[in-house]
Amino acid sequence: MKTMVNKEYQICIRCVMDTTDPDLVFDVNGYCNHCSNAITRLKQPPYGLSPKEKEAALKQLIEKVKSAGKAKQYDCVIGLSGGVDSSYLAYLVKQWGLKPLGVHVDNGWNSPEGTKNIENICKILDIDIFTNTLNWEDFKDLQIAFLKASTPDSEIPTDNIIMGTLYRVAEEYGIKYILSGCNITSESILPKAWSQGHLDKKYITAVYKKYGKNNKLNIPILSMYGKAIYRKIKRIYYVNTLNYVQYDKEQAKDYMKQYLNWQDYGRKHGESIYTRIVQEYILPQKFGYDKRRAHYSSLIVADQLSRHEALKMLKQPLYFDHTNLEKDITHLCDKFEISIAEFEQIMQKPCKTIQNFPNSSSSIIFRLLSMGYKFFRRKKN
Ligand SMILES: [Zn+2]
């Protein structure tokens, strides 16, 4: 496995983050910056409120959503990926008596279990769904461009398009609230070096321009400015709603299996075959990044996993079965219409970062908006 570590190896003594994150910093006690920051954020509202205060905050949020959507067909937009967090949120919003419009982005990589989960949720909970099916030729070209760029950011086009679709649909239907399944319990730790540039339109279009087939990208990309307009001018609110409840992932899965015929695909992000390949093969093999470290560390600081158990789980191979890995890579190459040799050649290309491409990091306005966005995320988390 290739790693990008230039300094001596060290692992945090509280979580399981280690020096495979090039930006990791340790304090004198051996605690890393990620878990120390996450612990501070976990104390902030709404997550850090007492159960009683949290219940009151949730009640207030529900009333605001209901009031903004009064006399409308829908009062909130919810993303539906078929995964645990978004599926459980769909179940909750119906329990709360809200009128959600489900939004799904079909980027061509849904796993059969993910698709079945979405179908079951919409049918059993009686939720209308808006599906944004991407033009496969255009999206394929963008994904291949990111693979060839050799930065660890292969998933940001999908993340960007999902966010853009949620805002666009909310605006079209006159809906003021986007209720998201993102949550601090499982996502408080996400190293920047492992994935960045989600709202950096300059970076995304530069990568496409260099490696895509056409000169111009035909897929709308949401910029940091575009998002600021949705939030500040159009007043569409994005709320990480699971932070308002006592969210226990395993308990949530049990509920959903019982009431929504929800199928477990056994691992995080198993709803998308591409995400699985990126997180369980490309990132660890090419960059030395094992995203389970960030995920398990988030659960450790949220008291939902012990460090001992996390270290044990990290010893398990990412792909349990080599046949499955071969099957997934063959599937990827077939879909991308490239040979396995070509894919292996891309895997061997030197690793790069966002800094090797034109990006918005030198723009003062972008930096200010980015700081505001982080502050906003912290407040909402
Ligand atoms: Zn740590």
Side-chain angles (χ1 to χ4, degrees):
M1 183 190 288
K2 187 168 183 172
T3 67
M4 296 185 76
V5 185
N6 295 317
K7 48 191 175 186
E8 210 177 302
Y9 182 83
Q10 193 176 348
I11 182 165
C12 177
I13 60 160
R14 181 164 49 202
C15 69
V16 288
M17 289 305 296
D18 65 5
T19 35
T20 52
D21 172 15
D23 302 324
L24 202 73
V25 180
F26 292 95
D27 67 14
V28 284
N29 300 311
Y31 298 140
C32 77
N33 55 319
H34 285 302
C35 60
S36 299
N37 291 341
I39 286 168
T40 308
R41 289 173 56 207
L42 285 162
K43 287 179 187 152
Q44 292 166 1
Y47 185 84
L49 296 171
S50 69
K52 215 174 160 184
E53 288 169 328
K54 209 184 258 195
E55 207 184 307
L58 174 65
K59 208 173 155 196
Q60 211 176 22
L61 172 68
I62 295 170
E63 286 313 313
K64 276 193 210 164
V65 176
K66 281 185 176 169
S67 150
K70 217 174 165 186
K72 287 184 183 163
Q73 190 179 1
Y74 309 108
D75 52 21
C76 59
V77 162
I78 54 168
L80 284 175
S81 68
V84 189
D85 303 339
S86 70
S87 302
Y88 187 60
L89 181 65
Y91 167 76
L92 288 178
V93 296
K94 288 298 279 191
Q95 296 275 311
W96 299 334
L98 298 178
K99 301 175 290 184
L101 171 61
V103 170
H104 175 64
V105 172
D106 182 356
N107 69 356
W109 289 100
N110 285 354
S111 67
E113 296 93 336
T115 307
K116 195 78 203 148
N117 284 343
I118 296 173
E119 275 173 24
N120 284 338
I121 285 161
C122 291
K123 202 169 142 196
I124 296 168
L125 296 175
D126 191 23
I127 293 176
D128 290 342
I129 185 154
F130 176 100
T131 301
N132 177 12
T133 305
L134 304 183
N135 177 303
W136 174 241
E137 285 307 311
D138 289 337
F139 188 66
K140 176 179 83 176
D141 204 19
L142 178 59
Q143 282 197 310
I144 295 174
F146 262 89
L147 264 192
K148 287 183 176 167
S150 289
T151 69
D153 310 322
S154 283
E155 280 286 74
I156 68 164
T158 297
D159 292 345
N160 181 293
I161 295 165
I162 291 173
M163 178 78 80
T165 306
L166 290 169
Y167 275 110
R168 188 164 52 77
V169 172
E171 187 187 15
E172 270 174 30
Y173 285 83
I175 302 167
K176 288 291 171 194
Y177 283 88
I178 297 168
L179 301 186
S180 156
C182 295
N183 64 90
I184 197 165
T185 313
S186 49
E187 293 161 345
S188 64
I189 295 174
L190 293 169
K192 195 176 165 192
W194 293 8
S195 175
Q196 60 186 315
H198 298 78
L199 291 171
D200 194 333
K201 191 174 176 176
K202 192 172 173 184
Y203 169 45
I204 297 171
T205 45
V207 166
Y208 184 76
K209 209 169 170 183
K210 180 149 189 193
Y211 295 105
K213 279 187 187 151
N214 303 312
N215 201 31
K216 195 178 168 291
L217 182 58
N218 287 322
I219 301 171
I221 298 296
L222 180 70
S223 66
M224 187 72 88
Y225 313 108
K227 185 173 174 182
I229 289 167
Y230 277 125
R231 281 178 40 215
K232 298 290 174 195
I233 314 277
K234 297 178 179 169
R235 300 273 169 200
I236 297 172
Y237 304 99
Y238 190 99
V239 186
N240 291 334
T241 317
L242 289 179
N243 293 338
Y244 286 77
V245 298
Q246 300 298 335
Y247 180 46
D248 183 308
K249 208 165 246 193
E250 291 309 311
Q251 226 172 46
K253 283 185 188 174
D254 288 343
Y255 266 128
M256 294 191 300
K257 281 177 196 162
Q258 199 177 343
Y259 299 112
L260 304 175
N261 286 338
W262 189 83
Q263 289 181 61
D264 198 350
Y265 33 71
R267 42 194 170 179
K268 191 169 161 69
H269 294 308
E271 68 271 20
S272 159
I273 298 163
Y274 189 69
T275 305
R276 184 162 77 208
I277 300 170
V278 169
Q279 298 205 354
E280 303 195 359
Y281 182 70
I282 298 175
L283 285 180
Q285 283 297 317
K286 185 170 168 113
F287 300 91
Y289 300 158
D290 183 345
K291 278 211 164 178
R292 290 179 304 178
R293 284 193 185 278
H295 178 53
Y296 294 163
S297 294
S298 300
L299 292 174
I300 291 169
V301 293
D303 282 332
Q304 294 202 2
L305 181 68
S306 72
R307 186 174 181 274
H308 176 74
E309 189 61 27
L311 287 170
K312 222 165 76 183
M313 292 197 300
L314 281 169
K315 287 198 179 118
Q316 301 282 331
L318 280 154
Y319 267 89
F320 285 102
D321 183 344
H322 201 73
T323 325
N324 281 343
L325 173 62
E326 279 175 12
K327 219 165 86 183
D328 277 357
I329 290 175
T330 307
H331 180 66
L332 176 135
C333 292
D334 284 349
K335 270 185 86 82
F336 278 168
E337 296 177 87
I338 59 173
S339 65
I340 304 253
E342 210 176 325
F343 174 70
E344 287 304 331
Q345 230 172 24
I346 296 172
M347 285 290 289
Q348 295 306 321
K349 282 178 74 176
C351 300
K352 292 195 174 156
T353 74
I354 187 171
Q355 298 307 334
N356 296 110
F357 295 90
N359 64 74
S360 304
S361 61
S362 58
S363 151
I364 292 169
I365 299 174
F366 184 89
R367 273 156 64 186
L368 282 172
L369 284 171
S370 184
M371 276 160 60
Y373 173 58
K374 272 184 204 149
F375 176 70
F376 173 78
R377 268 187 63 180
R378 275 177 198 161
K379 272 185 76 166
K380 288 294 169 192
N381 277 333

